Amino acid sequence: MSHVSAPCLLDRWTEENNAIVDKWKQHRDRGDAVTREQGLTLLKWCYVESHKLLQKIQGVLAVPAHVQLELTVVYNCCLFSFSQTQLTEAEHLLTHSLERALGAVGCDCPPPNPPVFWCTVLKSLGSTPSLRSCTLQLLCLHWALWLSTCRLGHIQELQEELRSLSEGLGAGEVAVEGGAVRPAVLVHPRDLKDLLLICTVIAQGAELLCEGWCSEALTVLQRDPSPLAPRDLLAQIHTLTGLCLSRTGRPHSAMQCYRKALETDVRCVCALHQSILVYRQLGNTQAEIQALRLLHSVLMMPPDTQPAGAPPIICPASLLPGQSLSSLLSVPSPLSVLHSLAQKCVLHGSVSDGVEHYLDLLAALQSDHQLSQGFSEAPSLPRLPELYLEAGSSLLMAQRPADCLALCDEVISTTLELLPERLLLEEPMEASVPVSPDRLGLGQDRLGVVLWSGAAYLLQAHCYSHLKDWKQAVTHYTRCINLLMKVCVKPKGCVKLELGVRTLQRLKGLALAGRGISFTHRDQKRESLRDLQLSLQAAPGCASAGLWLTEVLWRLGRRQEAAAFWEKTQSSSTAPSFEGVPLYLLDPQTGPSLDLTDLRRRVEEFINTRHS
């Protein structure tokens, strides 16, 4: 094929390139005057036309006079490929064109290893004044491709060359001779470089942070970004910096970073979520509840509609696809946040608010047809029966026993046909034997089915106790106990009981305590004494069982035993740990109360009389 060097051909290709670029820029500058669909259509057209132009240019042998134009067209063409997520195609065009340019100036093609390849390119082409700018803008483009495909190692290996881009790019114009028309570029190389700098800081910081190198990540993240950087990217840097500080034991400094992130970009929900975790760490429950409310309201807002007009050629999201960043900046679902808010409100004095949040949560799950799937919307949410039980427990705390009874009926009816005749568990717990699937998918968790059904009977018994219907209370406590007796735990010397077995023991202890207290009100003292003693064996640390056991011993005339047990409980300095205990298995906050002042007076008078 003969060399084509006629100026008219070179000018014609330059005009074609500029026409494509100008058409896109005019469309982009019209903003909302055009629809997004029109913008996507034009972008596809520009992509096709730029490739046609490049094929014309590369259809002839590469000569020095064409290199400037070819490298500029390749830059534009690769950007259009980038916009169509054709990253492999863009990288192939880039390296192939640089190899042609090296051949045009009489240099051999280097090996494909990126550091070696680019050192050769910069030495051979970058040293030529007329080619330096268009060569560096392709280096900038290759940087974008590495970043978008998570090849941070290549960026690290060429960091010195990439840092020198600021000086080398100059004003970002391609030098031409005489009065010739300059080939236009789609994106100003300096603008692209500024975007790549801040995205690289974010990607490198996130990767170091995920690998546990918090101090190193902090050093990377504290590099001064461009003041013109997008606000959402600056907010991400503040958020990641806060994560570094939080993980190195500086929660207050982390909170300042999260505030900066929200001041920079009010839509940075990750910073708000991380501030909630810091409040939780610091024990500032009221601030945590307020932040949870705010986060939930923000997450429930309608998502931003895609802006009208032309889509960007290259955007931060396409440059930051890494899993490290996604995991660090992840935010729980609105339903998970609502569940956390409901729990916090119930446990920290805002029971009525917590009840409303629980009811909103259940309504949202039902409206989303989650009930038919057995699992809640988010992995962090408990199973649906547990959510019903938590909601029922909060309703009972809010003095709404009738509503609690209704929710528990739902759990009982759901699990009734799934209850095993007998269940043998070994420590450590072995995998459950699969059973036939059911409509809720609950059959795989046989212990869970027993615990949920038993907890539902327990809550119903608490409701009848609250209503002072002692006969019904005894009946439902007994149903709970009989159900739990179907589970046999065979220990194997395991020191720490599995959570399910600990929940089983806790549930059994509460049911025995509740029945014992109900027997007391039915004047069945011996039955009460038996159940209260068994309760403390099953679940040591149940405060109500201990106090009522003292009272029952006193009423039976066994005052010395009552006094001894009282002294034992009062001298115990170890508070039971309820970490991981479900909301519905906490000591009931309603129902029969004991006059603790009167009991203390009677017992201490007896003790003083005995010692005098």
Side-chain angles (χ1 to χ4, degrees):
M1 187 176 292
S2 62
H3 288 197
V4 179
S5 57
C8 60
L9 186 57
L10 197 63
D11 292 343
R12 189 187 312 159
W13 287 340
T14 302
E15 289 172 1
E16 283 187 44
N17 170 76
N18 293 359
I20 296 171
V21 172
D22 290 344
K23 189 176 184 67
W24 172 254
K25 288 185 175 179
Q26 289 171 9
H27 184 90
R28 178 198 62 192
D29 294 341
R30 290 171 62 191
D32 295 344
V34 294
T35 65
R36 185 171 181 83
E37 289 71 21
Q38 290 173 325
L40 292 171
T41 301
L42 178 61
L43 194 57
K44 181 70 174 179
W45 180 88
C46 292
Y47 165 76
V48 172
E49 294 302 312
S50 65
H51 277 69
K52 288 180 179 178
L53 173 60
L54 185 60
Q55 287 175 353
K56 293 177 187 177
I57 297 173
Q58 294 186 341
V60 298
L61 292 176
V63 294
H66 293 172
V67 171
Q68 286 184 348
L69 175 62
E70 181 174 343
L71 295 186
T72 303
V73 171
V74 167
Y75 175 77
N76 293 332
C77 196
C78 288
L79 283 172
F80 282 125
S81 295
F82 203 104
S83 72
Q84 303 295 309
T85 64
Q86 300 294 327
L87 304 184
T88 303
E89 175 187 76
E91 189 157 18
H92 172 73
L93 290 175
L94 189 152
T95 53
H96 174 64
S97 300
L98 286 171
E99 288 170 355
R100 277 173 51 88
L102 288 171
V105 297
C107 297
D108 295 331
C109 290
N113 178 269
V116 177
F117 180 85
W118 272 105
C119 284
T120 303
V121 169
L122 291 173
K123 182 178 179 180
S124 302
L125 302 179
S127 59
T128 305
S130 61
L131 299 179
R132 179 168 176 76
S133 183
C134 53
T135 302
L136 291 179
Q137 66 190 23
L138 287 183
L139 174 58
C140 203
L141 184 59
H142 214 165
W143 180 4
L145 290 167
W146 291 328
L147 194 55
S148 62
T149 51
C150 301
R151 288 178 286 174
L152 300 182
H154 294 339
I155 297 174
Q156 186 68 25
E157 290 170 337
L158 285 163
Q159 58 181 334
E160 293 300 326
E161 289 79 2
L162 296 177
R163 284 175 187 164
S164 66
L165 280 173
S166 297
E167 299 80 28
L169 287 171
E173 300 290 351
V174 179
V176 294
E177 296 180 0
V181 178
R182 295 179 183 277
V185 291
L186 191 61
V187 176
H188 199 297
R190 185 176 289 277
D191 293 338
L192 179 57
K193 182 264 302 178
D194 289 342
L195 179 62
L196 293 172
L197 277 174
I198 190 168
C199 287
T200 301
V201 166
I202 291 171
Q204 290 177 334
E207 188 172 80
L208 289 168
L209 191 52
C210 280
E211 292 174 356
W213 301 94
C214 296
S215 298
E216 292 78 1
L218 194 59
T219 301
V220 170
L221 292 165
Q222 288 178 335
R223 295 174 187 161
D224 291 333
S226 167
L228 300 178
R231 298 178 70 84
D232 58 336
L233 296 182
L234 290 174
Q236 286 186 23
I237 286 184
H238 290 312
T239 303
L240 292 173
T241 303
L243 278 167
C244 292
L245 294 168
S246 180
R247 294 185 181 186
T248 53
R250 290 176 278 178
H252 295 285
S253 299
M255 188 60 81
Q256 292 178 359
C257 291
Y258 299 144
R259 288 197 187 100
K260 284 182 183 177
L262 289 167
E263 290 169 0
T264 303
D265 180 11
V266 294
R267 299 168 300 175
C268 186
V269 291
C270 177
L272 184 54
H273 170 57
Q274 292 300 325
S275 68
I276 290 170
L277 301 183
V278 172
Y279 286 135
R280 189 173 300 164
Q281 178 187 350
L282 297 175
N284 192 341
T285 304
Q286 292 308 311
E288 181 184 350
I289 289 174
Q290 291 177 6
L292 281 168
R293 283 199 181 100
L294 180 58
L295 178 58
H296 181 255
S297 64
V298 172
L299 292 176
M300 291 302 292
M301 293 172 63
D304 292 337
T305 57
Q306 288 187 329
I313 290 291
I314 191 166
C315 62
S318 63
L319 297 171
L320 294 169
Q323 289 298 316
S324 298
L325 182 64
S326 299
S327 63
L328 290 171
L329 299 183
S330 63
V331 177
S333 70
L335 293 186
S336 294
V337 174
L338 185 58
H339 176 246
S340 297
L341 178 58
Q343 269 193 334
K344 287 293 176 181
C345 287
V346 170
L347 291 172
H348 297 279
S350 302
V351 177
S352 59
D353 290 341
V355 166
E356 294 307 314
H357 294 318
Y358 268 117
L359 295 180
D360 289 343
L361 175 60
L362 294 180
L365 288 170
Q366 288 179 329
S367 66
D368 289 344
H369 306 290
Q370 297 295 332
L371 188 59
S372 63
Q373 299 175 20
F375 288 92
S376 301
E377 177 269 354
S380 58
L381 278 176
R383 299 286 289 271
L384 278 167
E386 293 179 79
L387 290 176
Y388 270 75
L389 292 169
E390 288 184 18
S393 179
S394 67
L395 285 164
L396 182 56
M397 292 183 193
Q399 313 287 317
R400 294 169 59 177
D403 294 328
C404 177
L405 286 167
L407 277 182
C408 291
D409 278 335
E410 289 285 332
V411 176
I412 292 169
S413 63
T414 299
T415 56
L416 184 61
E417 296 180 356
L418 305 173
L419 292 171
E421 287 297 322
R422 189 165 181 78
L423 183 59
L424 175 64
L425 302 176
E426 294 188 359
E427 292 283 359
M429 287 172 61
E430 297 174 348
S432 299
V433 178
V435 297
S436 58
D438 55 275
R439 70 181 186 88
L440 286 179
L442 305 177
Q444 299 296 324
D445 190 352
R446 297 190 297 170
L447 177 60
V449 169
V450 173
L451 295 178
W452 299 328
S453 188
Y457 283 125
L458 177 74
L459 284 180
Q460 288 190 327
H462 288 340
C463 290
Y464 288 117
S465 178
H466 173 82
L467 296 169
K468 295 184 170 44
D469 187 344
W470 306 116
K471 181 179 178 180
Q472 284 294 331
V474 168
T475 298
H476 284 77
Y477 283 128
T478 302
R479 288 177 180 172
C480 175
I481 294 165
N482 290 341
L483 185 58
L484 299 179
M485 294 304 291
K486 293 183 177 183
V487 182
C488 178
V489 180
K490 183 180 178 182
K492 280 189 175 181
C494 183
V495 176
K496 186 176 180 181
L497 292 177
E498 293 279 350
L499 177 60
V501 178
R502 285 188 281 127
T503 301
L504 175 71
Q505 295 298 99
R506 173 75 181 165
L507 184 55
K508 191 181 296 183
L510 286 174
L512 287 164
R515 191 170 71 172
I517 294 169
S518 299
F519 277 139
T520 304
H521 285 84
R522 290 169 59 85
D523 203 30
Q524 296 175 258
K525 301 184 191 67
R526 296 192 180 279
E527 291 82 355
S528 174
L529 178 63
R530 176 201 64 204
D531 281 355
L532 290 168
Q533 288 174 329
L534 290 173
S535 168
L536 290 172
Q537 290 176 18
C542 182
S544 59
L547 294 173
W548 278 98
L549 179 57
T550 305
E551 175 68 22
V552 171
L553 287 169
W554 186 272
R555 292 186 188 183
L556 286 170
R558 297 161 63 171
R559 299 188 176 184
Q560 189 164 344
E561 291 179 63
F565 189 77
W566 173 267
E567 288 181 318
K568 179 182 176 181
T569 55
Q570 296 301 302
S571 63
S572 176
S573 59
T574 305
S577 172
F578 295 131
E579 183 180 355
V581 174
L583 178 65
Y584 48 88
L585 292 186
L586 298 176
D587 284 339
Q589 304 298 309
T590 62
S593 59
L594 187 63
D595 189 342
L596 185 57
T597 303
D598 179 62
L599 178 61
R600 179 184 287 109
R601 179 188 58 78
R602 284 182 278 134
V603 173
E604 289 181 351
E605 282 181 1
F606 175 79
I607 294 172
N608 293 334
T609 302
R610 187 180 60 180
H611 290 316
S612 62

